[in-house]
Amino acid sequence: MQDHPYPVPGPPPGTFSQQTDPRAGIDEAVAGLDDLDALPLAEHVERFDAVHTELTVALSSIDKV
């Protein structure tokens, strides 16, 4: 039996088991940009990709998408 007479948005029951902090990896990834000027230019892309990935994960977890 349903608790609501109409569909309620959200993940299917039992699929989201743990709350996570969307900011968990952002600080660490951004800290990797601190010494960017001391790294060869070829390594900058990897650092920026890491920050981009962490921001993407944080943004997508806000709405549990």
Side-chain angles (χ1 to χ4, degrees):
M1 182 170 194
Q2 277 187 326
D3 296 331
H4 303 285
Y6 49 86
V8 177
T15 60
F16 189 75
S17 61
Q18 180 180 358
Q19 292 285 344
T20 58
D21 182 8
R23 298 168 292 174
I26 294 175
D27 292 335
E28 183 178 337
V30 170
L33 300 178
D34 290 342
D35 60 348
L36 203 59
D37 58 340
L39 295 174
L41 189 58
E43 293 182 28
H44 290 197
V45 174
E46 182 180 336
R47 299 286 178 103
F48 285 121
D49 279 344
V51 173
H52 181 262
T53 299
E54 289 300 329
L55 291 173
T56 301
V57 168
L59 286 173
S60 66
S61 69
I62 290 172
D63 291 331
K64 309 296 184 261
V65 176

